Amino acid sequence: MGGAFMKNIDIHGMTNMELIRGGIAEWYWATDYIHGDLYEAEELFRQGHLVRSNRLYLIHYPDGMVYEPVHSADGQYLGTPVYDGSSVVLLVVSFTESVIRIMRFLHQQVEVQEVVRLPLSAVKDCYNLMLHTSPLSLTRQPNDGTFEIIWPEHVRFAINDREALNFRDGDKLYFNVWYEDPDYREETVVRSLHGGTILERLPGDIRIMPNGERWLIK
C-alpha cells in the first residue's frame, strides 16, 4: 500500500513555519531572523553596523504556494505579519529611510499595497513594535510599564509589567497577565481603549481559533 502524498514546500531551508496570527488555517509564514528580532536589528543599525534584511515568506494552504511579498534590502527589517479581514498585512521597517510601512498583500494580484507610511521617529524605538487587528493597529509595549497604540490613533496608558496585549476588539483591549502567587496562573484583563480603564477580569487565557471562535482556556 502506498503512503500518503507528500507535498514539497521550498522555503529556503527555514523550518519555523507558523500560522499567521488572526487568520484561518490558510496562511503561514517563515523568516530567518538574521539579526535577531526587530529591536535587536535596530540596535545594530544605531551602532553603525550593516543590517541585512531578513527574508519573509508566506505559505498558502492547501495549495502550498510560497510568496515573498517584500524583497530583502539592506537596512530593512520585516516584522511579524497578521491576517486582517481577508488578507495578510506586513510590517516593514526601513532604518536607512527612517520609515515604518504597513503593507497589505493582495493574494489574487500577487502584489503589495501600502496601507500607511509613518516616520520612524513616531516611536522611541522598535521594542515590541507589533501589528494587531480588529481594527488593524500598530502597537508598542516598551519595557517601562506602559502600552502604546501608534496607529491609527495614538493611545498611551500604564499597565502591569506582566501584561501583554492578546488582541483588540473595537474599543476593548484584551491583555494576558501571568502570576506566580505562589503557583503559576494566567488571567485576561479587558481594558478600555480610552485611558486603559479595567472593564473586566477573566480567569485564564483567551485563544482565537482558526475558525474565529474565542476559547477561554482556564
Side-chain angles (χ1 to χ4, degrees):
M1 180 181 294
F5 173 73
M6 184 176 297
K7 193 181 297 265
N8 290 306
I9 309 298
D10 184 6
I11 47 177
H12 306 275
M14 302 178 196
T15 56
N16 60 331
M17 188 178 84
E18 300 177 35
L19 182 67
I20 291 180
R21 287 185 299 115
I24 56 177
E26 180 182 1
W27 285 103
Y28 294 78
W29 72 293
T31 188
D32 52 2
Y33 295 109
I34 189 168
H35 290 299
D37 64 18
L38 172 55
Y39 177 69
E40 291 168 328
E42 180 187 34
E43 285 290 285
L44 286 173
F45 183 82
R46 288 183 174 184
Q47 292 165 10
H49 298 284
L50 172 67
V51 172
R52 293 170 50 209
S53 177
N54 58 324
R55 297 171 298 164
L56 188 148
Y57 296 100
L58 303 179
I59 304 96
H60 186 252
Y61 176 83
D63 54 54
M65 290 294 295
V66 176
Y67 302 90
E68 187 179 10
V70 178
H71 293 290
S72 61
D74 288 345
Q76 170 185 279
Y77 192 96
L78 306 174
T80 303
V82 295
Y83 189 82
D84 177 57
S86 59
S87 58
V88 176
V89 180
L90 305 150
L91 175 61
V92 184
V93 178
S94 173
F95 306 122
T96 54
E97 298 178 66
S98 295
V99 296
I100 301 168
R101 294 185 181 91
I102 299 176
M103 313 287 290
R104 188 177 297 276
F105 177 59
L106 305 176
H107 172 215
Q108 299 300 328
Q109 295 91 331
V110 194
E111 63 182 39
V112 290
Q113 179 183 75
E114 187 172 274
V115 177
V116 67
R117 179 182 302 203
L118 304 169
L120 189 54
S121 59
V123 297
K124 179 181 178 181
D125 56 48
C126 294
Y127 190 87
N128 279 338
L129 188 68
M130 298 180 66
L131 293 172
H132 284 275
T133 58
S134 300
L136 181 64
S137 307
L138 179 65
T139 72
R140 177 175 175 268
Q141 191 169 326
N143 192 24
D144 62 0
T146 61
F147 170 78
E148 290 182 278
I149 296 179
I150 309 302
W151 177 88
E153 61 270 272
H154 191 268
V155 172
R156 188 175 191 271
F157 53 78
I159 60 172
N160 188 299
D161 61 5
R162 294 186 298 271
E163 291 185 52
L165 181 65
N166 189 352
F167 63 93
R168 176 178 176 178
D169 185 1
D171 286 349
K172 292 182 178 180
L173 303 171
Y174 290 73
F175 289 83
N176 175 263
V177 194
W178 61 270
Y179 300 93
E180 288 181 340
D181 51 4
D183 296 328
Y184 180 86
R185 65 183 177 89
E186 296 185 28
E187 74 172 5
T188 294
V189 173
V190 185
R191 292 183 177 271
S192 169
L193 175 69
H194 309 290
T197 304
I198 295 178
L199 305 175
E200 189 177 4
R201 291 181 181 270
L202 303 168
D205 184 27
I206 296 177
R207 302 287 180 90
I208 300 179
M209 307 310 290
N211 64 356
E213 288 183 349
R214 296 175 185 174
W215 290 9
L216 178 61
I217 312 298
K218 57 183 180 177

